[in-house]
């Protein structure tokens, strides 16, 4: 497989709530190679979302190091992190997070608008994305005129419009029925098929089992790191020996 | 983010909550309209007064009996006896001054005018032929008082347009004999209607020779002496010469007041100009109120759109981009409000001009510019805090908000 995309070592994340401390992530070591398909499972409160936010540079660890594509990203400034998010990371959320007043096409174009890409280039890419996700006839619909599955397809189109190397999905099927959820998973997996690294947080064991590599979290710790059929342990990155 | 995209995004956000948007625009518009209308009124008042003063005549130097008290209490004044009267001789003596072009004495009193059983109380002005030129009056009919010896006035009168209408209606007034007080005089001229005039409305005036007026009122004093200087530059020398001549004639005592129209004009101009600035300042307070409203509404907007802000951050928006999104929205709303207020204010000023044609209610350019600029500046200044708050939001917590 390819070079390591994500290298976490000794990551700690502690939340302070008044006097009590919640150890949301504890000594996490993790290596994910470019192009992998990873599912993250575990009971509620085990730190799955916290891990994903950290991987997406929406949150910072209290200690430990995070190297993304070989570069230490924990020390970057907020604006540098924003640039990394813009260029390399796509998010898919459980509650879609579409901007209600914008049409499907405008929602898909939003990352390009924020990145300052000229309108001429945007138009063609949005049209292609609408075609790829079967939304040609929904381009001018607002989110409240779309079904849940269509909304999540818009969200996936938006997450991939900047052609990121990494797509992070936090319970992307949580608000969808079973068949729609599977359809969304297939779209994400197809994306992985094109070489995009995919990390999906899910409660659903069946959906999680589809990933070639499955992480199980409990109490902020990595409990299990199982690599589907061909057993490949977490240190596949080939940490310096 | 490109400027065009910023503007479109801010516009869509503003359109997304029409009530909030229209309230903000309205508040800003009222502030700007207040500046425009109030300064239009104040500046209109200034211009109205200046116009009125200019209508009296130009290059005027006016002599009043008695010393002006503006210098405060003067013990020397208290001891001297009552001031000497101004007389026709005083007025005639002023003709010797080199800077003086024309002189018109003015004696004033009230009397009754009657013709064919119709009777009316009128103000009677006794003066000479020069008066019409000095005061820049125009005749509608006939001629003005005949020139000649100031002390021997003919039994003739020139009447104002309103007097003519009230006493004669459709009948011919010119050449008619009327009774003024206990005198019978012939109407030789009728003044053109002016509809205005500060202090003395010439439409309701009966003008007779000064000697006749003095005989009528049984006095030989003058109310004023109007002096027209040779030109604008001659006003100051004329004032000095007039003062000196009267002082010599009054046994060396400075017992008259000599004012120039210019000085009066300048004083009024200054007072009323200050008033305009003051009024503009008061109106600007409403803009500050509008600014505070902008801030609060934008803060509410940031709170309502927290999840959206989190999303924008997740999609790669920098803090600067987020700040610009909110600042652009605040600026756009302020600009829209300012333009609306500008239009409303001008419409209101135009309406006032329509209703009161004599009153030139036009907002001065500086006030309009200052009003619009203040609106934009307040909108932006009060938009900074909400925009900063939005930019500094934590993305994870923002996204968790629904
Ligand atoms: N901002 C925060 N402040 C305080 N505690 C927090 C915060 N965010 C998360 N936590 C705590 O950290 C722990 C991990 O939370 P996290 O959201 O990662 O769990 P999760 O595995 O995603 O759970 P779920 O399956 O319910 O989404 C929980 O105990 C949670 O209460
Ligand atoms: Mg979670």
């Amino acid at each position: 497989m390819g070079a390591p995309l994500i290298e976490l070592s000794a990551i700690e994340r502690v939340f302070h709530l008044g006097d009590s401390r919640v150890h949301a992530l504890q000594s996490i070591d993790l290596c994910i190679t470019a192009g992998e398909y990873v599912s993250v499972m575990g009971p509620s409160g085990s730190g799955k979302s916290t891990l994903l936010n950290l991987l997406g540079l929406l949150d910072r660890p209290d200690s430990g190091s995070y190297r993304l594509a070989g570069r230490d990203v924990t020390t970057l400034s907020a604006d540098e992190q924003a640039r990394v998010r813009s260029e390399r990371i796509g998010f898919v959320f459980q509650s879609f997070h579409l901007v209600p007043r914008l049409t499907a096409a405008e929602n898909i174009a939003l990352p390009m608008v924020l990145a300052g890409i000229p309108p001429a280039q945007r138009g063609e890419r949005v049209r292609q994305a609408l075609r790829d996700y079967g939304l040609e006839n929904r381009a001018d619909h607002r989110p409240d005129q779309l079904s849940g599955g269509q909304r999540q397809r818009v969200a996936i189109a938006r997450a991939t419009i900047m052609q990121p190397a990494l797509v992070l999905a936090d319970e992307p099927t949580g608000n969808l029925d079973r068949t729609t959820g599977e359809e969304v998973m297939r779209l994400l997996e197809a994306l992985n098929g094109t070489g995009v690294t995919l990390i999906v947080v899910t409660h659903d064991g069946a959906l999680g089992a589809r990933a070639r590599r499955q992480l199980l979290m409990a109490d902020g710790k990595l409990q299990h790191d199982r690599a589907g059929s061909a057993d490949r342990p977490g240190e596949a990155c080939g940490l310096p020996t | 983010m490109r400027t065009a995209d910023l503007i479109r995004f801010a516009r869509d956000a503003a359109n997304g909550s029409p009530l909030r948007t229209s309230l903000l625009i309205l508040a800003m518009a009222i502030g700007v309209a207040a500046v425009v209308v109030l300064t239009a009124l104040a500046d209109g008042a200034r211009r109205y007064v200046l116009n009125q003063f200019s209508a009296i005549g130009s290059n005027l130097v006016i002599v009043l009996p008695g010393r002006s008290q503006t210098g405060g209490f003067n013990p020397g004044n208290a001891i001297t006896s009552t001031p000497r009267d101004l007389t026709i001789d005083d007025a005639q003596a002023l003709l010797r001054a080199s800077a003086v072009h024309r002189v018109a004495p003015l004696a004033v009193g009230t009397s009754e005018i009657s013709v064919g059983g119709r009777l009316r109380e009128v103000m009677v002005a006794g003066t000479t032929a020069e008066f019409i030129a000095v005061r820049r009056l125009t005749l509608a009919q006939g001629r003005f008082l005949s020139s000649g010896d100031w002390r021997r006035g003919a039994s003739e009168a020139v009447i104002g347009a309103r007097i003519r209408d009230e006493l004669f209606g459709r009948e011919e007034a010119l050449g008619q004999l009327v009774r003024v007080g206990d005198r019978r005089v012939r109407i030789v001229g009728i003044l053109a209607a002016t509809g205005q005039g500060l202090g003395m409305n010439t439409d309701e005036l009966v003008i007779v020779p000064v000697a006749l007026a003095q005989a009528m009122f049984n006095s030989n004093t003058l109310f004023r002496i109007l002096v027209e200087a040779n030109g604008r530059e001659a006003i100051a020398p004329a004032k000095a010469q007039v003062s000196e001549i009267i002082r010599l004639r009054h046994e060396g005592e400075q017992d008259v007041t000599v004012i120039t129209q210019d000085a009066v004009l300048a004083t009024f101009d200054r007072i009323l100009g200050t008033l305009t600035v003051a009024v503009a300042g008061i109106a600007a307070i409403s803009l500050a109120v509008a600014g505070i409203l902008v801030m609060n509404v934008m803060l509410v907007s940031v709170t309502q759109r927290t999840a959206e802000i989190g999303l924008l951050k997740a999609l790669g928006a920098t803090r600067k981009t987020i700040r610009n999104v909110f600042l652009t929205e605040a600026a756009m709303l302020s600009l829209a409000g300012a333009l609306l207020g500008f239009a409303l204010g001008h419409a209101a000023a135009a309406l006032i001009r329509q209703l009161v044609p004599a009153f030139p209610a036009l907002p001065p350019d500086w006030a309009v510019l200052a009003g619009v600029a203040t609106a934009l500046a307040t909108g932006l200044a009060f938009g900074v805090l909400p925009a900063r708050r939005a930019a500094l939001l934590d993305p994870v917590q923002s996204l968790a908000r629904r």
Side-chain angles (χ1 to χ4, degrees), chain A:
Chain A
M1 273 281 208
L5 181 70
I6 293 168
E7 295 163 85
L8 298 183
S9 67
I11 292 288
E12 304 280 334
R13 184 72 176 101
V14 181
F15 291 110
H16 298 266
L17 276 176
D19 287 342
S20 68
R21 290 151 43 92
V22 181
H23 226 117
L25 293 177
Q26 285 186 60
S27 50
I28 302 275
D29 295 303
L30 179 64
C31 181
I32 295 173
T33 335
E36 271 195 271
Y37 173 14
V38 182
S39 68
V40 183
M41 289 182 285
S44 187
S46 56
K48 307 181 294 292
S49 297
T50 307
L51 177 65
L52 213 66
N53 290 334
L54 211 123
L55 291 176
L57 297 182
L58 294 175
D59 196 9
R60 288 172 191 267
D62 293 299
S63 67
S65 91
Y66 173 14
R67 296 169 72 81
L68 181 65
R71 178 182 182 202
D72 187 353
V73 287
T74 44
T75 54
L76 295 183
S77 73
D79 282 353
E80 285 167 330
Q81 290 195 335
R83 265 198 58 182
V84 174
R85 282 199 295 273
S86 168
E87 291 168 359
R88 295 179 180 273
I89 304 172
F91 289 92
V92 178
F93 305 96
Q94 176 177 1
S95 50
F96 319 129
H97 276 299
L98 301 179
V99 180
R101 60 177 180 277
L102 299 182
T103 64
E106 288 169 339
N107 266 293
I108 293 172
L110 199 48
M112 293 193 287
V113 169
L114 293 171
I117 292 174
Q121 287 181 40
R122 298 199 307 242
E124 184 43 48
R125 276 160 74 174
V126 169
R127 268 190 298 281
Q128 183 61 44
L130 287 167
R131 249 177 279 136
D132 290 349
Y133 291 95
L135 293 162
E136 296 104 316
N137 303 325
R138 298 285 178 269
D140 295 327
H141 289 222
R142 282 175 215 291
D144 57 5
Q145 301 163 326
L146 297 172
S147 72
Q150 286 166 340
R151 287 184 209 179
Q152 200 58 303
R153 276 188 280 164
V154 171
I156 294 172
R158 181 182 64 190
T160 55
I161 198 77
M162 293 290 287
Q163 291 155 346
L166 174 63
V167 167
L168 303 172
D170 195 347
E171 305 193 31
T173 63
N175 281 2
L176 302 173
D177 61 51
R178 181 128 215 120
T179 40
T180 324
E182 286 191 358
E183 183 199 343
V184 163
M185 285 309 291
R186 271 199 300 279
L187 289 173
L188 288 172
E189 285 160 7
L191 206 59
N192 175 246
T194 66
V196 175
T197 309
L198 176 64
I199 302 178
V200 182
V201 167
T202 180
H203 267 123
D204 186 327
L207 286 180
R210 295 160 66 132
R212 280 190 294 281
R213 181 173 171 195
Q214 295 145 30
L215 304 181
L216 186 66
M217 295 199 62
D219 288 333
K221 297 197 187 88
L222 258 183
Q223 204 77 10
H224 274 290
D225 187 349
R226 233 186 359 251
S229 45
D231 222 286
R232 223 164 20 80
E235 61 274 17
C237 285
L239 296 170
T241 46

Side-chain angles (χ1 to χ4, degrees), chain B residues 1 41 58 71 75 95 100 106 138 153 162 168 198 246-247 249 265 282 285 290 313 317 323 331 348-349 366 375 386:
Chain B
M1 208 165 165
L41 286 176
S58 60
L95 283 169
V100 168
L106 186 61
T138 44
R162 181 107 180 257
F168 296 97
L198 203 74
I246 303 272
R247 193 178 66 82
R249 290 182 53 81
L265 272 180
I282 292 167
I285 292 174
K313 291 197 159 188
R323 204 177 55 227
W366 64 261

